[in-house]
Amino acid sequence: QVQLVESGGGLVQAGGSLRLSCAASGSRFQINTMGWYRQAPGKERELVATITSSGSTNYEDSVKGRFTISRDNAKSTVYLQMNSLKPEDTAVYYCNARITRTWSVTMYDYWGQGTQVTVSS
């Protein structure tokens, strides 16, 4: 079993910044792509950013230039630095990791518990 634990959410004013962290724990696993998703009330969950094991990144258009995803493979941790926050960024943010166990080639999606990000106008 692998667990993803998120931290760093909170309440900020428009234009402020937050840094989200998500650490994976467990044993005998390999982490492939990691990412962040978000879900606002009444809306579907959407992709925010992803990062591969080699460092290639992908961002949703509305966060390009404002958010930065990074990872520390030694710590099995992914980060999301969020700058110039806007009210429309308000959502529950979930981290995701695609994980393969060392004895299998099957890839599974694991999700964090979610952390609330609220941006006031």
Side-chain angles (χ1 to χ4, degrees):
Q1 180 66 34
V2 178
Q3 294 83 40
L4 303 181
V5 180
E6 303 179 27
S7 62
L11 172 64
V12 298
Q13 292 184 316
S17 298
L18 284 173
R19 185 174 186 257
L20 306 182
S21 299
C22 177
S25 63
S27 63
R28 292 187 286 274
F29 65 91
Q30 178 183 11
I31 303 177
N32 299 285
T33 299
M34 303 185 77
W36 291 93
Y37 295 72
R38 65 187 180 187
Q39 187 168 22
K43 299 180 64 177
E44 296 181 349
R45 185 174 299 186
E46 66 176 358
L47 183 147
V48 178
T50 60
I51 183 168
T52 68
S53 59
S54 61
S56 297
T57 58
N58 182 57
Y59 296 92
E60 192 273 328
D61 286 342
S62 68
V63 308
K64 289 180 179 178
R66 300 189 298 120
F67 291 9
T68 302
I69 188 171
S70 61
R71 64 190 288 168
D72 185 336
N73 291 332
K75 297 181 178 179
S76 298
T77 300
V78 63
Y79 306 93
L80 185 68
Q81 179 66 49
M82 304 184 293
N83 299 325
S84 302
L85 283 163
K86 304 175 181 179
E88 54 261 42
D89 295 318
T90 296
V92 177
Y93 283 69
Y94 299 90
C95 69
N96 169 268
R98 289 188 168 182
I99 291 175
T100 304
R101 304 307 299 265
T102 57
W103 60 82
S104 176
V105 298
T106 303
M107 194 173 297
Y108 298 92
D109 279 323
Y110 286 81
W111 295 90
Q113 80 279 11
T115 184
Q116 178 70 48
V117 172
T118 302
V119 184
S120 62
S121 60

